[in-house]
């Protein structure tokens, strides 16, 4: 049972475009929602994260939008660049339960030059 | 350099032959964890450890063992590997048990014939 569902599975965007990846979760006890970025041959690395007390967080070209009532959150990559081509994972955890991350299925993003 | 290291990076073995994948971190992190990554399933937690001598099962612990005798090391043991354990394995660590940023190792690709 996948508690965090991620879509789309793959995404192709032109350079300069906006990439949008969506996630939905089931467990209302989740209180931390990070996004991880993974390049081929590497381990995932934290990209940006949000807590449910805010609806949006922006760091450079990366923005998380969070909708608590809908139990959904999304990653927006503005002005997408070929260097952004990677696999992106959303995740969720309950911080008091010991950093146990539940990951989405992953989205393979390709940004064409 | 602060990092999580895993060895070996690649391993081919046969069914039933015991193996150990080592994981070491040099950041004095309390929390360590093992994940497996499979296509379409994202990353799933196998075992985690909140501190030395404290370990617990994650979401997919069957067929795996771990130990945490030292703070820096967290080996993953497959006593009798089976083909369904063919996967990409990641070790991760974070500063504390409720630490939000997890740092991942480079991964170990395992093939069980």
């Amino acid at each position: 049972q996948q508690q965090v569902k991620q879509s789309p599975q793959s995404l192709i965007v032109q350079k300069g475009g906006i990439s949008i990846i969506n996630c939905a979760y089931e467990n209302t006890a989740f209180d931390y929602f990070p996004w991880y970025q993974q390049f081929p041959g590497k381990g995932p690395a934290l990209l940006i994260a949000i807590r449910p007390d805010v609806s949006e967080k922006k760091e450079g070209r990366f923005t998380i939008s969070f909708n608590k009532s809908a139990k959904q959150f999304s990653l927006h990559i503005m002005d997408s660049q070929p260097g952004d081509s990677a696999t992106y994972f959303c995740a969720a955890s309950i911080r008091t339960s010991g950093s146990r991350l539940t990951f989405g299925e992953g989205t393979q993003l390709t940004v064409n030059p | 350099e602060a990092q999580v290291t895993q060895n070996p990076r690649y391993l081919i073995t046969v069914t039933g032959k015991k193996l150990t994948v080592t994981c070491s971190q040099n950041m004095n992190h309390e929390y360590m964890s093992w994940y497996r990554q499979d296509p379409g399933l994202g990353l799933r937690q196998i075992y985690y450890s909140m501190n030395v001598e404290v370990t617990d099962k994650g979401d997919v612990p069957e067929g795996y063992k771990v130990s945490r005798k030292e703070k820096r090391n967290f080996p993953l043991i497959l006593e009798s590997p089976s083909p369904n354990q063919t996967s990409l394995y990641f070790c991760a660590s974070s500063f504390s048990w409720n630490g939000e940023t997890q740092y991942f190792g480079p991964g170990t690709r395992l093939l069980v014939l």
Side-chain angles (χ1 to χ4, degrees):
Chain A
Q1 181 182 359
Q2 195 77 23
Q3 290 195 53
V4 178
K5 292 191 179 296
Q6 183 173 345
S7 63
Q9 190 173 22
S10 62
L11 180 62
I12 300 174
V13 174
Q14 291 299 119
K15 178 182 176 182
I18 302 173
S19 303
I20 301 174
I21 305 171
N22 301 299
C23 284
Y25 62 96
E26 299 173 2
N27 189 346
T28 55
F30 286 143
D31 59 1
Y32 176 65
F33 301 90
W35 285 88
Y36 280 79
Q37 179 187 54
Q38 183 183 29
F39 292 105
K42 303 290 186 182
L46 180 67
L47 181 64
I48 186 173
I50 197 168
R51 299 177 189 177
D53 52 345
V54 296
S55 60
E56 186 175 283
K57 183 174 182 180
K58 183 176 181 179
E59 291 184 0
R61 297 184 293 110
F62 301 91
T63 299
I64 299 179
S65 297
F66 184 80
N67 186 329
K68 189 174 182 178
S69 61
K71 294 188 288 184
Q72 295 176 347
F73 58 110
S74 60
L75 176 70
H76 297 236
I77 306 174
M78 311 300 288
D79 187 26
S80 299
Q81 300 296 312
D84 297 330
S85 297
T87 300
Y88 292 81
F89 293 97
C90 63
S93 72
I94 305 168
R95 282 177 291 156
T96 55
S97 75
S99 296
R100 293 186 59 180
L101 287 170
T102 299
F103 282 87
E105 299 92 331
T107 297
Q108 188 164 351
L109 171 65
T110 301
V111 181
N112 289 327
Chain B
E1 178 189 357
Q3 59 183 347
V4 178
T5 57
Q6 296 178 227
N7 282 292
R9 294 290 312 279
Y10 304 91
L11 181 59
I12 301 174
T13 189
V14 295
T15 298
K17 186 176 182 180
K18 181 180 178 180
L19 66 91
T20 300
V21 183
T22 64
C23 173
S24 182
Q25 50 91 7
N26 62 1
M27 296 171 280
N28 202 34
H29 284 172
E30 288 187 349
Y31 182 92
M32 298 186 74
S33 179
W34 276 102
Y35 295 86
R36 60 177 289 174
Q37 182 178 355
D38 302 290
L41 296 176
L43 290 93
R44 294 176 293 167
Q45 190 178 55
I46 303 170
Y47 269 94
Y48 65 96
S49 169
M50 292 192 182
N51 214 325
V52 175
E53 302 292 1
V54 181
T55 64
D56 206 349
K57 297 177 181 178
D59 298 316
V60 289
E62 294 77 19
Y64 304 94
K65 286 177 59 177
V66 293
S67 68
R68 186 94 180 272
K69 293 183 170 53
E70 304 167 281
K71 196 171 187 178
R72 63 183 294 129
N73 296 323
F74 191 44
L76 179 69
I77 303 159
L78 284 71
E79 294 266 357
S80 182
S82 62
N84 65 11
Q85 293 178 296
T86 292
S87 187
L88 179 58
Y89 291 86
F90 288 100
C91 180
S93 71
S94 65
F95 180 71
S96 66
W97 67 272
N98 63 349
E100 295 172 339
T101 301
Q102 290 197 30
Y103 297 87
F104 284 79
T108 295
R109 188 167 292 280
L110 172 65
L111 173 62
V112 183
L113 301 174

